[in-house]
Amino acid sequence: PPNCRFYVDDIESEWTFSSETFDYIHGRSLGGSIMNFELLYRQIYDNLRPGGWVEMQEFQSAIYSDDDPLLSRASNCKKVMHLANYATEKTGRLLAIAPAQRQNLIDAGFEDVHVDVYKVCLTSNSLIVIIILNLYIRSLLGYGQRIIG
């Protein structure tokens, strides 16, 4: 639509939207790619019009089980999650950011912050398990190269 523009830029650099502010800013799955969420949220806050909205969608980078809290039946999944989080900690671009996002937004000055958490059923024949493990394996490869290289 004519009243909608999309920007592709390095969000970790200084924002240079000199005379422009935004009604809506959206981010999704930024865990593992941002070094300083506090700075990012401050820049978002500073570039939103009064009454503007920010929507951030992030997945939890851990697997939980109501009937197996120690993940004894999913030890390899637990290990992959631990290694992925360890690798991202070493690079300074944390993957496990979802739990801290609410407070980060409040600290940046946002009010009326809402968090919606949805449980997703992961079964061995679930497509979502395949997608999540694929993302983690790709993440580990990239982070491994960064740490070693």
Side-chain angles (χ1 to χ4, degrees):
N3 67 341
C4 182
R5 284 192 243 163
F6 294 88
Y7 295 90
V8 177
D9 205 346
D10 180 358
I11 61 173
E12 291 194 285
S13 296
E14 181 181 346
W15 290 22
T16 57
F17 305 107
S18 57
S19 63
E20 202 165 2
T21 55
F22 301 97
D23 295 313
Y24 177 75
I25 296 175
H26 172 81
R28 179 182 302 159
S29 299
L30 296 175
S33 61
I34 303 295
M35 286 192 92
N36 188 337
F37 274 94
E38 293 81 9
L39 176 62
L40 172 64
Y41 290 149
R42 170 54 53 197
Q43 292 190 125
I44 290 173
Y45 184 85
D46 291 343
N47 285 274
L48 272 178
R49 287 191 177 120
W53 283 73
V54 61
E55 178 182 6
M56 303 303 287
Q57 297 179 5
E58 202 59 54
F59 66 92
Q60 176 62 281
S61 64
I63 293 177
Y64 300 97
S65 174
D66 291 338
D67 60 344
D68 183 16
L70 299 178
L71 296 178
S72 58
R73 292 177 293 188
S75 60
N76 287 333
C77 288
K78 182 178 179 178
K79 186 174 184 175
V80 167
M81 300 299 155
H82 172 74
L83 290 173
N85 288 322
Y86 176 76
T88 64
E89 286 174 18
K90 292 294 249 179
T91 64
R93 297 177 186 276
L94 299 178
L95 188 60
I97 60 155
Q101 295 315 296
R102 180 180 189 279
Q103 190 59 50
N104 285 344
L105 287 161
I106 292 168
D107 292 347
F110 289 98
E111 300 174 6
D112 200 21
V113 176
H114 295 267
V115 175
D116 295 322
V117 177
Y118 301 95
K119 284 186 180 182
V120 177
C121 181
L122 302 177
T123 62
S124 60
N125 61 354
S126 165
L127 177 61
I128 192 128
V129 169
I130 294 167
I131 292 169
I132 289 172
L133 288 178
N134 186 18
L135 288 171
Y136 270 92
I137 289 168
R138 286 206 220 147
S139 295
L140 285 176
L141 291 173
Y143 281 104
Q145 292 170 354
R146 188 175 215 178
I147 294 169
I148 295 169

